[in-house]
């Protein structure tokens, strides 16, 4: 199907702005759609009250609607009331908000749904089934091949061509050519949350084994930073949470980037019985590559969809501080290796920009820009 697209409404449950990776993803994707000339509207939940555009460094201005629970309920009531006339209006509803997209699909609207992890309950699985079986479904977008395989196992009747694997990305204009700093101690950086399995504990233990390298940790709530600071050696500095745009400007100033994931990884809303390690597509990896940094990360199967040990990163055993310390020391002592890995990773990154991702999704969903 290829139909005229008058407007794309990105329906998210993200808190905007906030420090959560899902909010970064949503904001950057809408900016990429707008950069391609698509009339886009972003719906989410109200966050700190700061400017979403400034917080994420967005290039484009587009409608951003952050209603209260009641405001969103009234918006959905309007979609129900006017569905007979609106369904053919050229508006495509797309996004990651499972309940809202499922309801819009049930009302017959054209929808596309993006999934970053399997449904976490029978109720959510039922909502996803409603989307999958809806006549107006344009397609499903997932962030990893492992998640595509999981979906096909859950829905054997689903045509594999209805699923697009689109890994996360980085903004094309933020890609910085790799370089070697000539002065000062080697500096390593970790950027992200302190949730279980994200690897801050592994970083702290590894840093103690590599005292010649300085480590900066960007992220973490104040209480988490205080707790981790008490455990860290003197060569680790905690910068706390920084605005997303500021973080992206800082990254190219470092020499090594770290993503020491554990074998079990949990996010802000991950249930205790579940791990993200099989499905995740970490934003930080793409941002590190865009900043021109060599990466030390964990040897998890899902990360091998993006990186290759010895070619585009050093990948070592998860939950093993000594292995991470050895890899960090190898890079600290070998500037040529740092540069080679960063250059190779950035060459691969050219396929993983937000703009390319947005264009692929639009083509997959059969959405062509309306001339009106």
């Amino acid at each position: 199907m290829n139909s005229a697209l008058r407007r794309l409404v990105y329906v998210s449950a993200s808190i905007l702005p906030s420090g959560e990776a899902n909010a970064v993803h949503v904001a950057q994707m809408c900016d990429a759609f707008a950069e391609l000339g698509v009339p886009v509207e972003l719906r989410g939940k109200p966050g700190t009250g700061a400017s979403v555009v400034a917080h994420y460094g967005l290039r484009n201005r587009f409608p951003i609607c952050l209603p209260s629970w009641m405001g969103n309920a009234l918006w959905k009531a309007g979609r129900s009331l006017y569905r007979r006339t609106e369904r053919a209006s050229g508006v495509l509803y797309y996004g990651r908000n499972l309940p809202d997209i499922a309801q819009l699909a049930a009302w017959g609207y054209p929808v596309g749904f993006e999934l970053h992890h399997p449904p976490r309950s029978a109720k959510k699985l039922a909502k996803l089934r409603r989307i999958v079986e809806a006549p107006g479904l344009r397609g499903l977008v997932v962030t990893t091949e492992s998640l595509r395989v999981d979906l096909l196992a859950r829905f054997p009747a689903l045509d594999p061509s209805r699923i697009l694997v689109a890994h996360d990305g980085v903004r094309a204009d933020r890609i910085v050519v790799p370089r070697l700093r000539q002065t000062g101690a080697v500096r390593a950086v970790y950027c992200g949350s302190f949730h279980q399995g994200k690897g801050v504990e592994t970083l702290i233990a590894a840093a103690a084994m590599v005292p010649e390298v300085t480590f900066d940790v960007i992220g973490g709530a104040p209480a988490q930073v205080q707790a981790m600071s008490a455990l860290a050696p003197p060569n680790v500095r905690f910068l706390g949470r920084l605005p997303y745009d500021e973080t992206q400007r800082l990254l190219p100033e470092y020499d090594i980037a770290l993503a020491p994931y554990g074998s079990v990884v949990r996010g802000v809303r991950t249930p205790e019985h579940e791990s993200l390690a099989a499905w995740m597509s970490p934003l930080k990896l793409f941002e590190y590559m865009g900043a021109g940094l060599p990466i030390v990360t964990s040897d998890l199967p899902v990360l091998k969809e993006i990186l290759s040990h010895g070619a585009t990163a050093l990948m070592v055993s998860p939950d093993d501080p000594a292995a991470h310390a050895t890899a960090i020391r190898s890079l600290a002592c070998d500037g040529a290796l740092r540069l080679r890995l960063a250059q190779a990773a950035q060459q691969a990154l050219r396929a993983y920009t937000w703009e390319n991702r947005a264009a692929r999704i639009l083509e997959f969903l059969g959405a062509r820009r309306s001339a009106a």
Side-chain angles (χ1 to χ4, degrees):
M1 179 189 301
N2 193 291
S3 58
L5 177 64
R6 299 183 65 88
R7 183 162 50 102
L8 186 150
V9 179
Y10 196 114
V11 185
S12 87
S14 296
I15 298 171
L16 298 164
S18 70
E20 296 181 10
N22 64 76
V24 173
H25 174 101
V26 165
Q28 295 299 327
M29 277 303 302
C30 287
D31 192 49
F33 283 129
E35 188 71 9
L36 297 177
V38 174
V40 61
E41 172 188 323
L42 170 58
R43 298 187 62 83
K45 297 178 179 179
T48 64
S51 166
V52 174
V53 173
H55 185 88
Y56 298 110
L58 305 183
R59 298 159 293 180
N60 299 281
R61 301 290 177 136
F62 47 85
I64 300 175
C65 304
L66 306 173
S68 64
W69 178 89
M70 180 58 70
N72 194 55
L74 291 172
W75 177 80
K76 287 193 291 184
R79 304 292 70 73
S80 175
L81 182 62
Y82 297 111
R83 54 185 157 176
R84 293 187 183 277
T85 55
E86 285 190 351
R87 283 184 298 207
S89 64
V91 176
L92 173 64
Y93 293 95
Y94 178 81
R96 299 171 56 179
N97 187 323
L98 177 59
D100 285 3
I101 293 290
Q103 186 62 74
L104 290 162
W107 287 332
Y109 284 98
V111 300
F113 185 63
E114 182 164 329
L115 199 64
H116 288 219
H117 54 76
R120 290 170 169 162
S121 66
K123 184 177 180 180
K124 290 183 177 180
L125 179 61
K127 290 183 185 298
L128 180 58
R129 186 176 301 280
R130 184 186 297 179
I131 295 172
V132 168
E133 296 176 352
L137 175 66
R138 296 285 189 84
L140 300 172
V141 177
V142 297
T143 50
T144 60
E145 175 63 24
S146 59
L147 187 50
R148 186 189 77 90
V149 171
D150 180 87
L151 277 184
L152 290 174
R154 292 173 186 267
F155 300 101
L158 180 61
D159 183 346
S161 68
R162 306 291 301 281
I163 306 176
L164 172 70
V165 177
H167 296 90
D168 283 323
V170 69
R171 225 167 74 183
D173 65 345
R174 284 229 166 108
I175 296 176
V176 178
V177 176
R179 63 180 178 84
L180 290 178
R181 290 193 315 113
Q182 300 301 322
T183 60
V186 171
R187 303 173 67 209
V189 64
Y190 167 86
C191 177
S193 75
F194 287 25
H195 298 303
Q196 181 182 350
K198 295 300 180 78
V200 177
E201 296 89 347
T202 298
L203 180 154
I204 288 172
M209 305 177 201
V210 198
E212 67 273 23
V213 174
T214 62
F215 294 76
D216 278 358
V217 178
I218 301 174
Q224 293 172 319
V225 169
Q226 183 178 9
M228 288 297 175
S229 297
L231 303 174
N235 59 330
V236 177
R237 181 173 66 153
F238 292 86
L239 305 185
R241 288 176 177 164
L242 300 176
Y244 176 79
D245 197 44
E246 181 180 349
T247 300
Q248 300 313 298
R249 289 195 299 268
L250 285 176
L251 284 180
E253 299 178 7
Y254 292 92
D255 303 294
I256 301 170
L258 307 175
Y261 290 103
S263 53
V264 174
V265 181
R266 295 196 170 94
V268 65
R269 285 180 288 273
T270 312
E272 284 297 317
H273 65 275
E274 185 182 320
S275 170
L276 299 175
W279 327 108
M280 61 186 183
S281 177
L283 282 178
K284 65 168 64 69
L285 294 182
F286 300 93
E287 293 163 354
Y288 291 164
M289 289 190 281
L293 302 180
I295 298 169
V296 175
T297 190
S298 299
D299 189 11
L300 298 175
V302 72
L303 300 186
K304 292 179 180 178
E305 293 186 22
I306 299 298
L307 299 171
S308 175
H309 175 62
T312 56
L314 295 185
M315 306 180 75
V316 300
S317 299
D319 307 309
D320 188 341
H324 282 270
T326 298
I328 293 166
R329 187 179 296 108
S330 296
L331 288 178
C333 296
D334 192 339
L337 177 60
R338 295 201 303 272
L339 190 59
R340 177 174 66 80
L341 290 178
Q343 290 172 335
Q346 199 166 91
Q347 185 62 33
L349 180 67
R350 299 294 171 175
Y352 301 118
T353 65
W354 291 124
E355 295 83 358
N356 285 344
R357 188 178 195 271
R360 289 182 64 214
I361 289 172
L362 289 172
E363 182 179 6
F364 171 67
L365 298 177
R368 59 180 172 81
R369 174 78 186 277
S370 172

